[in-house]
Amino acid sequence: MTQTGMPTRRLGDTGMDLTTVGFGAWAIGGSGWKWAWGAQDDAESVAAIRRAVELGVNWIDTAPMYGLGHSEEIIGQAIADMPESERPYVFTKAGLIWDPERPTAAPRKIMRAESVRREVDASLRRLGVDRIDLYQVHWPGDGALLDWAAPDAVAGADRYATPLAEYWQTMADLKREGKVRAIGLSNHGTAQLAAAEQVAHIDGIQPQFSLLHRQAAPELAWAAARTTGAIVYQPLHSGLLTGAFSTERVAALPDDDWRKESAEFTSELGPNLALVDALRPVAGRHGVPVGAVAIAWTLAWPGVVGAIVGARRPAQTADWPQAASLELTPADLAEIAAALTGTGAGTGPVQP
């Protein structure tokens, strides 16, 4: 991995220095699955990834669930002809298994060893790499399939459940075998993190964290107290904190864009947009877009190594260098905390 002009932070004790902004590949999965963002041009996806790398971004985060394998395939295309020394680190996940006959149904959360091993091999093939740099458990495996199981099968849903200690041992085995370089847990709480750490060291965690979704503060503190790095997802809250949203834009979203049914983009939109407006003076003082302030706010929390920012087109990466380098002052953080309290937007602690 070549050095980048963007600031970097070490991911735990993995030896990987990550840029403070990474490329999020959820939206490039395209349409036709449970949490799709609408139709997507694959050529633009490839161009966006390559542009991000040109700007200095040195890691990509994806998952098989994003487009039911399609996001991983697009990443594979984008990095295939890059010299090895210039390729970004590639992170992906395991544990969400979809029904091929019902692609828009909610997936099952399955972390049985044989299933995880099938998943890692499929991801390696789609990505076109010999080793995954960070392999993460997408969600705690609980076997929930109520969304699409037959009524008489619901009672037996726990047949898919795998104890955390068992599935985390599987992840540790994959690391020992060399199929993955580092292992992490996404969307796991502090009690689960503590239990997993007893089995094998957690290299990284990945919680949802933004100005509007601040509940993962305890998990970030847990990571900060250990040699565990945190990368946070949705720091722009799926575009809501970019400064470009309005009621009219929400109404114009495609019908198959999941955001059109989300309370944060509908019934809670007013306070959320009021918060965005309150961020504009902070952004103006630093000469950066509002979205850069939202990203920098997540990076100000102890334990956070980097923020995952999504893009569907090359132009959407233009402001990332500013966001990656912006350091908010104590006065900025106090002003943002007051705005969070005053608008009532989101939930969780208001200041690092």
Side-chain angles (χ1 to χ4, degrees):
M1 172 63 60
T2 55
Q3 295 298 310
T4 172
M6 285 190 182
T8 60
R9 299 177 183 179
R10 178 64 55 93
L11 180 68
D13 56 7
T14 65
M16 290 186 283
D17 293 318
L18 308 185
T19 49
T20 50
V21 168
F23 188 99
W26 175 6
I28 69 171
S31 59
W33 56 289
K34 177 66 175 178
W35 294 289
W37 296 58
Q40 173 67 14
D41 184 320
D42 290 344
E44 283 209 304
S45 298
V46 169
I49 292 169
R50 292 177 174 171
R51 181 55 182 155
V53 173
E54 289 172 359
L55 289 172
V57 171
N58 75 351
W59 56 285
I60 301 173
D61 182 83
T62 187
M65 188 64 207
Y66 304 159
L68 313 186
H70 191 61
S71 175
E72 289 185 329
E73 292 171 345
I74 294 302
I75 291 168
Q77 293 176 31
I79 67 174
D81 59 356
M82 291 182 186
E84 189 69 27
S85 62
E86 297 177 11
R87 282 190 178 186
Y89 297 121
V90 178
F91 306 161
T92 192
K93 310 178 185 76
L96 294 187
I97 306 299
W98 60 89
D99 178 0
E101 301 299 319
R102 300 184 62 190
T104 59
R108 296 177 301 204
K109 298 173 183 176
I110 300 178
M111 282 299 298
R112 292 179 300 193
E114 63 272 23
S115 180
V116 173
R117 288 186 174 278
R118 284 194 297 270
E119 282 202 83
V120 73
D121 287 342
S123 289
L124 287 166
R125 183 177 63 253
R126 287 188 291 256
L127 292 165
V129 297
D130 297 325
R131 181 179 66 170
I132 292 165
D133 294 300
L134 175 63
Y135 200 46
Q136 303 156 102
V137 180
H138 206 151
W139 285 89
D142 61 10
L145 54 122
L146 305 186
D147 184 293
W148 56 269
D152 60 355
V154 171
D158 61 355
R159 70 186 184 279
Y160 293 102
T162 302
L164 184 150
E166 184 176 324
Y167 68 69
W168 190 239
Q169 184 61 59
T170 299
M171 298 289 283
D173 291 344
L174 292 174
K175 179 180 177 180
R176 176 177 49 81
E177 295 162 14
K179 286 197 170 184
V180 305
R181 178 174 179 174
I183 52 176
L185 292 168
S186 179
N187 300 304
H188 284 62
T190 53
Q192 294 166 318
L193 297 178
E197 186 72 9
Q198 296 301 308
V199 176
H201 179 57
I202 303 168
D203 295 312
I205 64 170
Q206 185 184 139
Q208 180 183 7
F209 194 66
S210 73
L211 282 160
L212 297 178
H213 195 284
R214 309 182 296 273
Q215 295 93 319
E219 286 70 43
L220 298 181
W222 188 94
R226 295 161 178 81
T227 52
T228 296
I231 57 175
V232 299
Y233 71 88
Q234 288 186 281
L236 291 175
H237 216 81
S238 303
L240 189 52
L241 296 173
T242 60
F245 261 90
S246 63
T247 54
E248 293 76 18
R249 182 171 177 185
V250 172
L253 291 172
D255 290 339
D256 59 350
D257 188 318
W258 67 271
R259 293 174 293 180
K260 203 160 188 175
E261 302 300 323
S262 169
E264 292 153 329
F265 286 83
T266 53
S267 60
E268 300 169 10
L269 187 61
N272 294 342
L273 292 181
L275 172 64
V276 171
D277 285 339
L279 298 178
R280 296 187 192 280
V282 179
R285 286 197 299 273
H286 289 279
V288 299
V290 168
V293 174
I295 295 168
W297 184 87
T298 68
L299 295 172
W301 286 73
V304 176
V305 172
I308 300 168
V309 185
R312 302 177 70 174
R313 296 178 294 279
Q316 292 176 328
T317 67
D319 301 326
W320 289 9
Q322 291 174 291
S325 302
L326 176 60
E327 293 187 14
L328 297 174
T329 67
D332 294 330
L333 293 172
E335 184 174 338
I336 294 169
L340 287 167
T341 301
T343 61
T347 54
V350 298
Q351 194 165 349

